[in-house]
Amino acid sequence: MTHERPDGSLVEVDVKIPPNARRMVLLDNGLGMAHEYWDWVCEALPADMGYVRFNRPGYGLSTPSKQYGLDRHFELVQELRETYVGDLPLVLAGHSLGGYLIAAYASLHPDAVKGVTAVVMIDATEVVSLRYSRRTEVDRWSRRSMVMEQVYSGTGLSVFRPALNVNKQYRPEINRSYLAFLAQPSTWATAGREYRDAMTYPELAELDCPLTVITAENNVGDNAIHHGVQARLPLISARSRHHFVDGSDHESLLSVPEHAREVAELIAGEPPSERTDPEQSRPGKGRQAEESAAEREKELT
């Protein structure tokens, strides 16, 4: 379905509010990802929890916008909350770039945490590390990849070699929908714009509500660095925990049913009441990962 905004633009949304709903979760997608990516997570939510998932402007059926940035995104999230969530308690959850965006909304938008019971960042982008990567080979590879995906989608080649959901682990109808999403050149044009914008986003400093950070065990690149970067995210809240999903990678956290169920349990579960030591989540690796990440940041600088 589509949600019409005050300016007449449309936002593609998928909303479920059970008759016995006692709480809701608002789900924010990663870079270049469609709201269908949350399908397994949504299916695993408890019966009393509804959800709102959506495509940001320029993705799917959502009207492209000439104005991007955090303020515009905050306005959209607030609008969706007021329209579909009402006074129900709300969990804010996001994957990858969506993890940063939803936490930024909760920490920077006025009165955003009112009615919010928890924030869940799922293998979220850490913008300081992203800026450190600028003009490195990682950055050049990322930019080239998005340009090439735009070319592949424009020529129809992406149908034969999709960039994401390669193993097609969703239900058939979701796989078809997601393949069509990846085959749209606008998907990759929007992803490139968001990637460039993210380089300018501010570091998250403080979050006045419970926070759960979920990290994939495996990462493309150096796992120790990735784990160390992720270990900094829980520090923005005095009530936080850091959870690793064994055997998962960045994409499979949502696309593999087993991992998605674990994510759903953390979204719907009791939020942390104090900050737990991240090293307890990954025994013996936390401090080593943080040191490796710090060394890598110096190299990138």
Side-chain angles (χ1 to χ4, degrees):
M1 61 182 282
T2 53
H3 165 81
E4 185 172 354
R5 306 197 67 190
D7 62 2
S9 63
L10 301 177
V11 174
E12 185 176 4
V13 297
D14 184 20
V15 180
K16 180 181 178 180
I17 307 176
N20 62 333
R22 298 174 53 195
R23 50 195 174 145
M24 296 284 289
V25 58
L26 189 146
L27 302 161
D28 211 336
N29 313 329
L31 185 80
M33 295 181 178
H35 70 72
E36 286 91 343
Y37 231 62
W38 295 100
D39 195 58
W40 291 130
V41 172
C42 291
E43 186 173 279
L45 293 173
D48 68 348
M49 192 170 202
Y51 62 79
V52 178
R53 61 194 200 194
F54 64 101
N55 285 335
R56 293 190 294 273
Y59 288 127
L61 300 178
S62 295
T63 306
S65 175
K66 295 181 180 179
Q67 297 179 325
Y68 289 82
L70 289 182
D71 289 341
R72 291 286 292 176
H73 186 67
F74 295 166
E75 291 173 6
L76 174 57
V77 171
Q78 187 68 23
E79 186 179 318
L80 294 175
R81 281 186 67 179
E82 293 172 357
T83 303
Y84 300 107
V85 177
D87 296 328
L88 289 172
L90 178 66
V91 175
L92 298 169
H95 174 244
S96 194
L97 180 60
Y100 169 85
L101 290 173
I102 213 68
Y105 163 74
S107 62
L108 299 176
H109 190 68
D111 299 323
V113 295
K114 184 178 180 180
V116 172
T117 59
V119 171
V120 181
M121 303 175 73
I122 305 164
D123 224 40
T125 300
E126 204 276 328
V127 294
V128 175
S129 297
L130 185 64
R131 283 199 293 274
Y132 275 129
S133 73
R134 192 170 187 176
R135 297 189 178 89
T136 67
E137 185 56 37
V138 172
D139 177 44
R140 288 189 286 271
W141 177 84
S142 297
R143 293 173 186 266
R144 285 197 301 266
S145 295
M146 284 180 280
V147 171
M148 291 308 300
E149 291 301 333
Q150 191 172 357
V151 172
Y152 293 148
S153 58
T155 57
L157 294 176
S158 60
V159 174
F160 304 101
R161 46 153 312 284
L164 299 170
N165 194 29
V166 176
N167 296 320
K168 299 181 180 179
Q169 299 188 83
Y170 291 100
R171 293 177 288 122
E173 60 269 29
I174 298 299
N175 288 328
R176 288 193 295 270
S177 177
Y178 199 59
L179 182 61
F181 174 87
L182 295 173
Q184 295 176 3
S186 59
T187 293
W188 301 104
T190 300
R193 175 65 181 269
E194 288 193 328
Y195 178 80
R196 294 189 296 273
D197 279 357
M199 291 280 188
T200 69
Y201 290 162
E203 179 180 4
L204 297 173
E206 187 175 357
L207 181 63
D208 189 22
C209 70
L211 170 65
T212 294
V213 173
I214 302 173
T215 298
E217 181 184 27
N218 302 311
N219 183 61
V220 177
D222 192 315
N223 269 336
I225 292 175
H226 179 65
H227 293 172
V229 168
Q230 290 281 298
R232 292 202 299 267
L233 296 176
L235 302 180
I236 66 175
S237 173
R239 294 167 286 169
S240 63
R241 63 185 169 197
H242 190 185
H243 181 89
F244 286 81
V245 177
D246 291 335
S248 68
D249 58 38
H250 188 70
E251 183 178 359
S252 73
L253 276 169
L254 303 186
S255 64
V256 172
E258 177 186 357
H259 300 331
R261 284 193 293 269
E262 191 169 339
V263 170
E265 289 174 2
L266 290 163
I267 289 174
E270 192 69 23
S273 58
E274 60 183 4
R275 182 183 295 162
T276 58
D277 187 343
E279 293 189 29
Q280 295 176 2
S281 302
R282 184 61 48 177
K285 294 188 178 180
R287 190 172 304 282
Q288 178 185 0
E290 290 178 355
E291 292 173 354
S292 297
E295 292 173 0
R296 178 58 175 162
E297 286 180 0
K298 290 180 181 178
E299 292 176 7
L300 292 174
T301 304

